[in-house]
């Protein structure tokens, strides 16, 4: 599924101007639980106005990192700043500029959609004179106006997800955190949420996403950070990650099994060669010059019946970097 994306460029970590405060600035962050090091000297910057994805296998430290960004967990050492506010010392200010949609939406299921929004408005001190209009506007945005008086327990998973998103945005936060935003919902609801996330970016808001759907990360995120065992493994745009760590993939079907695997592996620009029966999968660092050499070696032993060249999938890069699949 393809989602249209903005052509606007986002500065990299070293490209921040002196006048721009990062949305999130993590510096040498550590968190230990006894002898277990959940987050290990993590340094990471998220710029304002980008959709940033945080990926990692189970136990990688991403949930602990998010909890420290949200002020729910106190770091063992290091610092976290959200739009210039130190989370440890300015928790109240951080709560006002952060809108969170956790994986468990934590809605009051026996109450109506309106009552859920009304409670949240009071919790965040939205003025009474503005509250009704804000709730109506947000319910319209998440397409729940006609169900505003319905009990949330009667909602589908996608409707609950949209209501949770509307609730999180009611106080107009500058930073929105979404934990698995489309987990367990249908394709149509997923597309609606994707479109709205991109709309948030167009409004200048910063969106931090954790997701196990690599298609989602590819479609939405300006940049991705991959963490494993509490350490930052890589951070870049999805396309650059694929170029830097994957290279193109050449697949060949031959008439029979060939023996010249070592010759292919010895070619400059070859990262990996796998053979399964008469099928070869070759990962390269650039197909421009190496493909003719591959064809020459293979054709000396066997007829080539089919050849395809494709870009690597993001899950292949994730597996290469962490040694594990993101989703089992």
């Amino acid at each position: 599924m393809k989602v249209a994306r903005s052509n606007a460029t986002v500065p990299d970590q070293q490209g921040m101007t002196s006048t721009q405060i990062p949305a999130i600035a993590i510096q040498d962050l550590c968190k230990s639980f006894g002898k277990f090091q959940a987050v290990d000297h993590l340094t990471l910057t998220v710029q304002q106005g980008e959709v940033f994805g945080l990926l990692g296998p189970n136990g990688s430290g991403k949930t602990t990192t998010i909890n420290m960004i949200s002020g729910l967990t106190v770091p063992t050492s290091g610092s976290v700043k959200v739009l210039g506010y130190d989370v440890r010392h300015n928790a109240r200010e951080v709560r006002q500029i952060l809108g969170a949609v956790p994986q468990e939406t934590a809605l009051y299921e026996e109450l109506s959609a309106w009552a859920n929004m009304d409670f949240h408005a009071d919790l965040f001190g939205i003025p009474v004179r503005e509250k009704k209009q804000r709730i109506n506007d947000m319910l319209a945005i998440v397409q729940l106006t006609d169900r505003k008086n319905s009990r949330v327990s009667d909602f589908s998973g996608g409707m609950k997800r949209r209501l949770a998103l509307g609730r999180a945005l009611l106080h107009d936060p500058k930073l929105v955190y979404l934990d698995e935003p489309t987990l367990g919902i249908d394709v149509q609801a997923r597309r609606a949420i994707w479109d709205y996330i991109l709309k948030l970016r167009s409004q200048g808001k910063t969106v931090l996403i954790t997701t196990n759907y690599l298609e989602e990360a590819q479609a939405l995120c300006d940049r991705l950070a991959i963490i494993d065992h509490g350490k930052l493994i890589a951070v870049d745009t999805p396309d650059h990650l694929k170029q830097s760590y994957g290279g193109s993939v050449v697949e060949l079907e031959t008439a029979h099994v060939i023996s010249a695997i070592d010759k292919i592996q010895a070619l400059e620009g070859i990262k990996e060669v796998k053979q399964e029966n008469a099928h070869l999968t070759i990962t390269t660092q650039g197909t421009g010059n190496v493909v003719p050499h591959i064809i020459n070696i293979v054709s000396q032993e066997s007829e080539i019946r089919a050849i395809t060249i494709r870009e690597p999938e993001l899950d292949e890069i994730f597996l290469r970097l962490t040694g594990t699949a993101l989703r089992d």
Side-chain angles (χ1 to χ4, degrees), residues 22 25 70 83 107 112 155 191 198 221 224-225 236 259 277 313 321:
S70 304
L83 288 166
L107 298 165
S112 67
F155 283 10
R191 178 57 185 259
L198 294 175
C221 297
L224 301 171
D236 212 327
S259 60
N277 298 322
E313 299 295 332
L321 289 172

Side-chain angles (χ1 to χ4, degrees), residues 40-317:
D40 190 0
H41 297 280
L42 182 65
T43 295
L44 185 66
T45 301
V46 178
Q47 303 296 353
Q48 291 188 47
E50 68 176 331
V51 179
F52 191 94
L54 190 62
L55 307 182
N58 292 336
S60 64
K62 65 179 186 295
T63 299
T64 303
T65 299
I66 291 297
N67 287 341
M68 288 188 282
I69 293 171
S70 304
L72 300 176
T73 299
V74 178
T76 302
S77 62
S79 66
V80 182
K81 291 184 179 180
V82 175
L83 288 166
Y85 291 107
D86 188 294
V87 173
R88 194 180 302 200
H89 301 112
N90 305 103
R92 183 176 180 180
E93 288 84 355
V94 171
R95 282 196 296 270
Q96 288 294 325
I97 57 180
L98 175 65
V101 182
Q103 190 174 131
E104 298 296 330
T105 51
L107 298 165
Y108 295 102
E109 301 243 342
E110 296 308 308
L111 299 180
S112 67
W114 180 277
N116 271 271
M117 298 286 272
D118 186 63
F119 179 81
H120 188 82
D122 290 341
L123 185 66
F124 277 83
I126 295 175
V128 174
R129 64 182 180 276
E130 300 177 16
K131 184 169 66 172
K132 183 177 180 180
Q133 187 62 51
R134 278 212 208 179
I135 293 174
N136 277 325
D137 290 346
M138 193 53 62
L139 286 172
I141 287 171
V142 297
Q143 300 176 4
L144 289 172
T145 298
D146 60 340
R147 298 297 300 273
K148 66 181 181 181
N149 295 319
S150 300
R151 288 200 313 180
V152 173
S153 59
D154 295 329
F155 283 10
S156 67
M159 292 168 66
K160 290 177 182 179
R161 217 63 186 146
R162 298 204 314 269
L163 179 60
L165 182 57
R167 181 188 61 181
L169 295 168
L170 190 61
H171 62 288
D172 194 28
K174 294 181 174 64
L175 172 64
V176 183
Y177 161 58
L178 306 173
D179 184 12
E180 298 284 352
T182 61
L183 180 68
I185 65 175
D186 59 46
V187 173
Q188 184 175 2
R190 178 181 295 181
R191 178 57 185 259
I193 290 175
W194 283 13
D195 288 343
Y196 193 64
I197 290 171
L198 294 175
K199 184 177 180 181
L200 290 174
R201 182 180 60 181
S202 72
Q203 295 171 350
K205 296 187 184 298
T206 306
V207 183
L208 177 64
I209 294 175
T210 58
T211 180
N212 279 350
Y213 294 107
L214 289 163
E215 177 193 12
E216 186 163 81
Q218 175 73 46
L220 296 177
C221 297
D222 297 296
R223 288 191 302 146
L224 301 171
I226 297 174
I227 63 173
D228 193 24
H229 295 94
K231 294 179 179 289
L232 181 66
I233 304 299
V235 57
D236 212 327
T237 66
D239 287 342
H240 284 169
L241 281 172
K242 291 194 293 185
Q243 292 169 9
S244 299
Y245 296 98
S248 296
V249 178
V250 181
E251 297 186 350
L252 298 98
E253 289 288 347
T254 56
H256 54 78
V257 176
I258 68 167
S259 60
I261 302 301
D262 290 343
K263 290 183 180 179
I264 298 173
Q265 187 68 67
L267 292 172
E268 184 178 356
I270 298 295
K271 284 189 174 182
E272 185 178 49
V273 181
K274 291 183 178 180
Q275 185 175 43
E276 185 174 347
N277 298 322
H279 183 87
L280 282 171
T281 302
I282 303 163
T283 304
T284 76
Q285 292 176 315
T287 61
N289 295 320
V290 75
V291 171
H293 297 295
I294 294 172
I295 293 173
N296 181 53
I297 291 172
V298 174
S299 61
Q300 289 179 22
E301 285 197 44
S302 174
E303 174 192 355
I304 298 175
R305 293 180 171 174
I307 180 169
T308 60
I309 302 172
R310 62 175 176 83
E311 292 300 309
E313 299 295 332
L314 198 55
D315 55 353
E316 294 174 308
I317 306 306

